[in-house]
Amino acid sequence: MAGTTGTVEMAQTASVDRYGGYTRFEIEVEAAQFVQSLSNPLYLHHLAVEKYLDRAEFVAYLAYLQYFRQPRYIKFLSYPGPTLRALDLLQQDRFRKAILMPETLQRMINEGFRAGAQAGA
């Protein structure tokens, strides 16, 4: 789980180079927050409704974010399992269309609740 220790560690190892006025660390923290939001089925549905998932450049960005699988970055994800699974699903055109359907959204929500209940048991 992302925490203060991990954030401090990332800050200590971050490059001081600037990219568009931001440090590499600032960019990575923002990317981690975005990637983490992909574990939320309602957010995935929102992205589909707003047509982000129809944009080739956005889908390519999602593919680029696969680097969060690396140990150096995965430790900054609070929910790596659902988050990385969402990144995989978002590479599938079929899923990007299916997430628009209420049935798919509800199924994902139910699966999340079941997984949470099993983890807490």
Side-chain angles (χ1 to χ4, degrees), residues 26-38 43 47 52-53 55-68 87 90-91:
E26 291 169 321
I27 293 168
E28 295 301 341
V29 167
E30 186 172 332
Q33 291 171 345
F34 171 71
V35 170
Q36 187 63 55
S37 70
L38 298 176
Y43 185 62
L47 292 173
Y52 284 99
L53 301 182
R55 300 178 188 171
E57 62 275 5
F58 188 76
V59 174
Y61 178 63
L62 294 171
Y64 163 76
L65 292 173
Q66 291 286 341
Y67 73 86
F68 272 93
L87 276 174
L90 288 165
Q91 292 307 299

Side-chain angles (χ1 to χ4, degrees), residues 48 53 59 89-100:
L53 301 182
V59 174
L89 289 171
L90 288 165
Q91 292 307 299
Q92 302 171 19
D93 185 55
R94 186 172 130 193
F95 176 77
R96 291 192 306 270
K97 289 179 174 63
I99 194 62
L100 281 166

Side-chain angles (χ1 to χ4, degrees), residues 40-46 95 98-112:
N40 182 336
L42 293 171
Y43 185 62
L44 297 179
H45 181 76
H46 168 76
F95 176 77
I99 194 62
L100 281 166
M101 295 183 282
E103 300 83 22
T104 302
L105 176 62
Q106 190 60 53
R107 186 171 47 247
M108 288 186 74
I109 291 169
N110 291 343
E111 287 174 5

